[in-house]
Amino acid sequence: MLIFPREGSTGLLTVEGSTYPDYLSVSTSYNTEVGAVTLYIGPPAGGSQSIFCRKIVVRVPTGPGADALTTNAHAPAIAISVPEPGNQLPGRRWTVKLDTSSDSYAEVTCTPEGFGNSGFAEFKTGSRKVGFTLSQIAIHPIPGDVEITVFEDSSYQPETGYTTRRSFYDVRKYQGILYFHSLRAEPSFIERGQSATLLWDGSPEADYTMFANGRPHPEHNPPSGGTWTSEPLDDDTEFTLEAKTMGPGDTPIYRQLTTSVKVDNANKRLNSIKVGTINAPTAGGRVRVADDLTLGQGKTLDADHINASTAGAITVDTHLALATGKTLSVDKVNPSTTNRAIMVDTDLTLAANKTLKVDKVDATGGSGTLTIGSSRIFTEGDLTLGPGKTLDADHINASAAGTITVDTHLTVEGLFTANGPTDMVQNFKATELGLGQRSSFTAESSGILVVLCRAENSGSTVRATVKIDTRGYLPASHADHSNGNWGEHCFAIAVRKGARCEILVEKKRGNPQYQVGWYLWCPLGKGATMAEIEE
């Protein structure tokens, strides 16, 4: 948990910090909680001037009150770690002194060593910070915030003198975050084949995970009762127990404790062994390799049976070669990482009635083509092409009872030829329009628009016109009654999908009672019915 800055700070240097553990739990009557506070002191980010410092003093409150970090500053409860040479400012070492003479606070004075009389450190822009750690702190039993004060003798221009400035920071103590201590083995030295019992003191509400030699134990979730018994051991084992609980703001908190168990007549660990033959000691015994088994180049591992443990797997990092006529029989082949692939350099043959099930077939070699050497019928599942991809085929044949269905667009760059009957017209309807009537619609598919007008009495003339999208009215049909005969005229035009169509019947001369018009919309494909498109 980072320390929290308070208002009112006047320091030129900035202080960042952390605690260990992240959340400091208060001590109790039955357990002393121990923690540490680390402060990183250095130039502010984005500063433009060097800062010169000749002394830093860190004051930590002590005593009986809730605002104290620990109760007794006189006892060896606070230890100071001097920064390693590689973590100090170039050319400077720091002398650290602890003063516990006060009953209300402990002070840590940090002084840079200089060359000759130049006892100061120069914090240049972008230089690293100096870290000081207060460890082995017996945390105060009362929760609350502790104000840590940092005094600095600093200046931008040391030749004009130094000024003592102060910065204030809070460290928070929490009530009963996680109690977890004293992981131990009983006994810690056992005979080969004997089990070890692990004991610990910890919060019953925490979740625990057991690791053996750095790996999760097969039974890696022991109960929270503070005791757990291992399986029979034949090797020295280091056990790590991890406790987890939820802190403030539902932040997970982890603690780990480690202990070890020694086994008499344990397995031998060798970096290298060269033998002619390795035999198991008994007929039912095994030769067990705990870590890696490496064979020299050109050497062979000859075994009747290789068995991975229950939770394990046999991993082949390079090539697995089988002799001619031999068979590899497995229940599952699984690449160990996401980016790996199973490559077959020659033919992959499936036995009769067997199925090859894959998520993806990717042709990567040669021309990048997947070739099927003979006729095959695919009867199950969909064939999906990725965006921008092309299905290039000389022949696509639906089964006798099947149909090739295109749910969206079918784009043909060239001649579209139908060798058999087609079913492209789904529905059509004729609509009558009186004189002066106008009808409009948007074509939901491509189609043919047919317009007809009729003059039924002598000397009358009627005209029907069509407007497509933004183009002007076109003379679509003109009928003239003469010689006692009806005058009729018909006009047809192809309309593309999405076009806006308007039809208007107009009188030219004569009695309007005997002047009428019709239009017929014939959509190609699954076009809408007239009831759906008329406006």
Side-chain angles (χ1 to χ4, degrees), residues 15-27:
V15 180
E16 297 177 352
S18 61
T19 61
Y20 180 81
D22 289 342
Y23 295 92
L24 297 179
S25 297
V26 298
S27 298

Side-chain angles (χ1 to χ4, degrees), residues 348-397:
L348 176 63
T349 303
L350 301 180
N353 298 322
K354 299 301 180 181
T355 302
L356 176 63
K357 295 182 178 181
V358 295
D359 292 330
K360 181 179 180 181
V361 177
D362 183 13
T364 58
S367 60
T369 302
L370 178 65
T371 301
I372 300 176
S374 59
S375 298
R376 292 292 183 268
I377 300 176
F378 298 90
T379 59
E380 298 179 2
D382 297 330
L383 174 62
T384 302
L385 300 181
K389 303 303 181 182
T390 302
L391 174 63
D392 189 359
D394 294 332
H395 188 72
I396 300 177
N397 182 32

Side-chain angles (χ1 to χ4, degrees), residues 49-54 117-118 120-122 153-163 165:
Q49 299 184 63
S50 293
I51 299 173
F52 299 85
C53 179
R54 67 181 181 182
N117 296 323
S118 58
F120 63 85
E122 180 183 359
D153 286 359
S154 59
S155 175
Y156 287 122
Q157 297 177 335
E159 63 273 9
T160 62
Y162 290 86
T163 302
R165 312 172 200 271

Side-chain angles (χ1 to χ4, degrees), residues 7 41 77 94 112 144 152 168 204 206-207 232 234 283 295 316 340 343 366 387 402 428 448 471 474:
E7 295 182 355
I41 304 174
W94 291 78
E152 62 178 70
F168 308 99
D207 296 325
D234 55 12
L295 301 180
V316 180
R340 290 194 177 183
M343 298 184 64
F428 62 89
I448 305 298
R471 297 178 63 184
L474 306 174

